[in-house]
Amino acid sequence: MSDGIRWLIDAGDRWMDCVTFARGISPEELAIRLGAKPGSSAPLLTASEAWDLAYGWDSVIVRVGSSDGWSFAVESGLPQSADVLEELSRGGVEIVRLDPQPDHPPMQFAYLRDGAPVCSFGITEEGIRWGNDPDFLLPDLIRTGVLRADGERLHDDGMDYAAEKRRTFGVLEHRFGLSLPRKQVEEVRLPAYALYESPGFVWPPPERS
């Protein structure tokens, strides 16, 4: 059974990693497009090891893998700017980005295809959308009760934010066929890359036993 992506909402404040999905390129190519040097993968790292390195060296560590036809990248540390997304999606690649924005809510969704922004919005602020086709997901958002037929939010007063986030993530999960394997992301060692290096940064890190 697929893990989907709604478990990210269930993780609550423990979800602090920006997640980027890419369809049409390998996990390594996704890391390279995010800023890693080709061939610079480290010994496999767990989530906690990646965070230790990111905070210890003031860097960004990205761990990559694949699931259900999508490559994924999980960024520990300050994520890359959204400005890189058009470059990520060049050459017919599809990109879905989920940025939790813990220091500046709401969390952000973005979908890009072939170098162009298609649709983006804040989670729980789906009535405000932008991109070349801002209404790309509007029928799905209306059908599932996230938005009214006029495109405004259905549940504003007394909102159960966790439930509303799960509802929108359900739309994304089904519309794009997204799945992020929870055990892999939280516990298993995955190929890891450094996206940029602070002074004194050592890469690759020592082998972990």
Side-chain angles (χ1 to χ4, degrees):
M1 180 178 177
S2 170
D3 286 352
I5 59 172
R6 279 172 280 189
W7 66 264
L8 292 167
I9 301 301
D10 299 335
D13 292 340
R14 293 187 296 110
W15 176 36
M16 297 181 65
D17 297 304
C18 185
V19 180
T20 303
F21 294 91
R23 185 155 55 189
I25 54 176
S26 69
E28 181 181 15
E29 175 64 18
L30 175 56
I32 291 168
R33 290 193 183 195
L34 281 166
K37 296 177 182 177
S40 65
S41 62
L44 307 184
L45 298 178
T46 66
S48 61
E49 289 167 350
W51 271 106
D52 287 346
L53 285 168
Y55 274 97
W57 292 102
D58 189 25
S59 184
V60 176
I61 308 300
V62 60
R63 299 161 67 235
V64 298
S66 60
S67 180
D68 290 352
W70 291 84
S71 297
F72 65 79
V74 181
E75 297 174 53
S76 299
L78 186 65
Q80 298 289 80
S81 165
D83 295 341
V84 306
L85 297 183
E86 291 186 21
E87 176 67 12
L88 283 181
S89 65
R90 73 181 189 277
V93 173
E94 291 181 88
I95 294 289
V96 172
R97 186 174 175 94
L98 303 172
D99 186 347
Q101 300 261 82
D103 297 325
H104 187 63
M107 58 185 64
Q108 298 289 311
F109 154 78
Y111 173 55
L112 297 91
R113 184 176 56 224
D114 198 19
V118 178
C119 177
S120 297
F121 51 75
I123 307 298
T124 71
E125 294 185 359
E126 297 85 356
I128 305 170
R129 301 175 301 281
W130 60 93
N132 292 345
D133 187 4
D135 292 342
F136 179 76
L137 290 173
L138 185 59
D140 304 86
L141 295 169
I142 292 172
R143 176 180 51 80
T144 54
V146 174
L147 298 178
R148 302 192 307 242
D150 61 4
E152 297 298 319
R153 275 213 61 93
L154 186 62
H155 308 96
D156 274 329
D157 298 331
M159 184 186 297
D160 180 339
Y161 282 94
E164 293 301 308
K165 292 172 185 176
R166 280 183 57 83
R167 191 191 303 267
T168 297
F169 267 46
V171 169
L172 304 179
E173 185 178 294
H174 292 293
R175 180 64 178 80
F176 296 106
L178 299 176
S179 180
L180 192 66
R182 184 168 189 169
K183 184 177 179 65
Q184 244 187 306
V185 169
E186 292 189 329
E187 302 175 22
V188 174
R189 287 191 168 101
L190 295 174
Y193 299 80
L195 297 191
Y196 59 78
E197 304 172 0
S198 60
F201 186 80
V202 177
W203 192 260
E207 292 277 359
R208 306 295 179 106
S209 57

